[in-house]
Amino acid sequence: MSLVQHLPALQVAVPLLAAPLCAMMVRPRIAWLFATLAAWATFAVSLAIFHRVLDRGLILYEMGGWAPPLGIGHAVDPLNALLLVLVSGMAAIVMPAARPGVGVEVAPRAQRLFFTLALLALTGMLGIAITGDAFNLYVFLEVSSLASYALVATGADRRATTAAFNYLVQGTIGAMFILIGIGLIYMMTGTLNMADMAVRLREARDTAPVQAALAFIVVGAGIKFAVFPAHVWMPNAYTYAPSLVSAFFGATATKVGAYILIRFIFNVFGVDFAFGEMRIGWALIPLGLAGAFVGSLVAIWQDDLKRMLAYSSVAQVGYIAAAIGYANRDGLIAAIVHVFNHGLMKGALFLVMACVILRLGKADMRSFRGLGRRMPVTMGCFVVAGLSMIGVPFTVGFISKWYLVVGALDAGLWPVAALVVLSSLLAIVYIWRVVETAYFREADGPRTREAPAMLLAPTLLLTVLCVAFGVATEFTVGVAGSAADMLGVLP
Amino acid sequence: MTDPLSFLSGHAVQWGAVVLLMTGLYIVMTRGNLIKKVVGLNIVQTAVFLLYISIGYVEDGTAPIVLEGAARYSNPLPHVLILTAIVVSVATTSLALALIVRIREAYGSIEEDEIRERESD
């Protein structure tokens, strides 16, 4: 057995073992350095896994040599390989920026615990993505959620504590619903392995527990995924959390919810059952579009720009939900590509907020006045990532919107396609407000300069990736296409 | 279709879980006191534990320990799963209580409406 074969186990083990070690490092600087190295090592592992998956398709890993369904197995296909790269990649990019970014927002004594929590949240998300066992998925979900609640509460504003409490209450209800769903499936199939469940469910699908299980899992994952109207926890949590936490979670946390939804609907329950008999498309598409409009409209009126970005996330999550609801290949490609692309752009935009907060103390409209001249690089990043949010060609946002529209037309839902385009116009309004304030208003605040290179470099890197993946589309679309093929939707 | 009475009595444990789930969700939604919300959350979790434990029940089954003369055993797997979930719920509760302590330090109250009032000033 070589190390390469154990990569799926290392994917979760590296950040999990690094977390308690990090808690023992008293000096904040050492803790940060250690957490950064751990994040990079995790990213390297996920790249290696990704490479192997593209090479040979599905990777199955038996934990401790116990073969599933008796043992717990990891299963990696192109869908979760891409998610692993996104989650660990965001951690690897955001973690180095944490030193200057967190320095002003978290007390030095608490910083090592902050990095410990970040590593635990990373562990949980990677675990959800990689595991092939439904109950294991629930446990990892709680690992990442508990770490997230605590991370949100580390925000400097006292409202961070109430935001974290509401997040905890709603997140726990979501997790409980997923747990009930898994229990009901276990009741009917006697297995917890997801691949095994899928096979056995084919005979048991017409029973009430299985139908209830689908409902519970869709609602539970919907809460974690912040689909309208279950998005209420998100705006406050992302507004009052430290900016780097918002950047990391904005890019990854809701995406993991999307993954749970896709995995259960397409793999475990199957397209015929979920969309043919239970018609969940009729729930996902209207709610997704409602979220897209409500999120974008509310974003327009926000004065706090972190809150604006959080509401914009409600809208983007809506697009992903609607795209899943199309139940065709282009729709699934749109959902998977948008999970990845929105991660890049929202990460970049929240990092811009981190730069501004570091220099000016807060990120409201007033502090953005004249910022185009005072922080040209930061604002340049905002403009590029903002254009991507709108969906301008040659950015990642365009690729997502393209497949969103094509998928809707493919499903014969032309009004949906029209509404997607219409709601994208709302994004122009909320991005333009900021651009106008930054470039055409006179500055009246204190003099300032660019954020330190440690924070600016990751922001720039994510912005460049927004354009790079928008021009070289074969990579994301190709992987999403092969993931969609493995999920068994008809072309 | 079985008659309603036996449907009710035959699924007594599951009905218990449903009642607990609804009670818990109702408390979480309607109570303004944060501690009561946590209690409501605990009741929701208890409902799920009950549902899982009922899955493991086998008629006339004994504890899953090899015994002379025992032919049927209950299914231990759901019970073990729920041990994990109980640990998770302890962690959730303690984190929630820790957050409530912080909220009280910051706002001087654990009533939702009073906190909302103080948030705006």
Side-chain angles (χ1 to χ4, degrees), chain A residues 135 138-139 142 146 149 153 158-159 161-162 164-165 168-169 172-173 176-177 179-180 182-183 186-187 192, chain B residues 25 28 34 41 45 48 52 55 75 77-78 81 84 88 91-92 95-96 99-100 102-103 106-107 115 118-119:
Chain A
F135 193 80
Y138 160 75
V139 175
E142 289 286 24
L146 284 167
Y149 310 145
R158 66 175 181 173
R159 281 169 288 187
T161 50
T162 43
F165 184 80
L168 181 142
V169 170
T172 304
I173 292 174
M176 280 303 128
F177 276 22
L179 187 58
I180 293 173
I182 294 170
Y186 175 76
M187 192 191 263
L192 287 167
Chain B
L25 285 176
V28 172
L34 300 185
L41 216 51
Q45 290 168 326
V48 183
Y52 264 74
I55 298 172
N75 181 357
L77 184 67
L81 295 181
T84 314
V88 170
T92 315
L95 180 62
L99 281 173
I100 291 173
R102 290 271 309 273
I103 289 172
Y107 292 93
I115 293 169
R118 285 167 209 188
E119 245 171 19

Side-chain angles (χ1 to χ4, degrees), chain A residues 67 86 122 199 206 211 243 308 342 346 377 398-399 404-405 420 437 465:
Chain A
L86 172 71
L122 176 65
V199 177
D206 287 325
Q211 291 166 349
S243 313
M308 179 194 91
H342 177 243
K346 212 23 93 48
V377 183
F398 177 70
I399 314 299
L404 265 167
V405 171
V420 167
T437 315
L465 288 178

Side-chain angles (χ1 to χ4, degrees), chain A residues 214 217-218 221 258-275 280-281 284 321 324-325 327 332 487 489:
Chain A
L214 178 72
I217 288 177
V218 169
Y259 166 78
I260 297 176
L261 201 57
I262 294 176
R263 181 61 84 204
F264 270 97
I265 290 176
F266 289 95
N267 269 138
V268 176
F269 288 105
V271 189
D272 300 338
F273 176 69
F275 291 96
I280 58 167
L284 288 176
I324 296 171
L332 205 50
L487 291 172
V489 271

Side-chain angles (χ1 to χ4, degrees), chain A residues 336-397:
Chain A
I336 298 167
V337 165
H338 201 47
V339 161
F340 188 79
N341 290 349
H342 177 243
L344 293 181
M345 34 197 191
K346 212 23 93 48
L349 287 172
F350 269 122
L351 281 180
V352 167
M353 296 305 142
C355 293
V356 174
I357 288 178
L358 181 67
R359 285 297 181 223
L360 294 168
K362 57 182 174 184
D364 56 2
M365 277 311 230
R366 197 185 163 81
S367 51
F368 267 73
R369 284 188 194 159
L371 215 56
R373 258 151 294 166
R374 294 187 296 168
M375 295 172 83
V377 183
T378 312
M379 276 314 294
C381 290
F382 183 89
V383 171
V384 174
L387 288 176
S388 178
M389 196 57 80
I390 297 166
V392 174
F394 302 111
T395 58
V396 283

Side-chain angles (χ1 to χ4, degrees), chain A residues 441-477:
Chain A
R441 287 285 196 93
E442 284 306 315
D444 59 356
R447 296 185 63 80
T448 186
R449 56 204 161 86
E450 287 289 353
M454 290 285 270
L455 192 51
L456 202 55
T459 317
L460 258 176
L461 176 62
L462 278 176
T463 312
V464 169
L465 288 178
C466 277
V467 178
F469 285 120
V471 177
T473 60
E474 305 81 21
F475 170 72
T476 42
V477 174

Side-chain angles (χ1 to χ4, degrees), chain A residues 195-210:
Chain A
D196 207 23
M197 270 181 181
V199 177
R200 298 194 194 186
L201 270 180
R202 277 182 213 142
E203 284 146 34
R205 59 164 54 159
D206 287 325
T207 55
V210 176

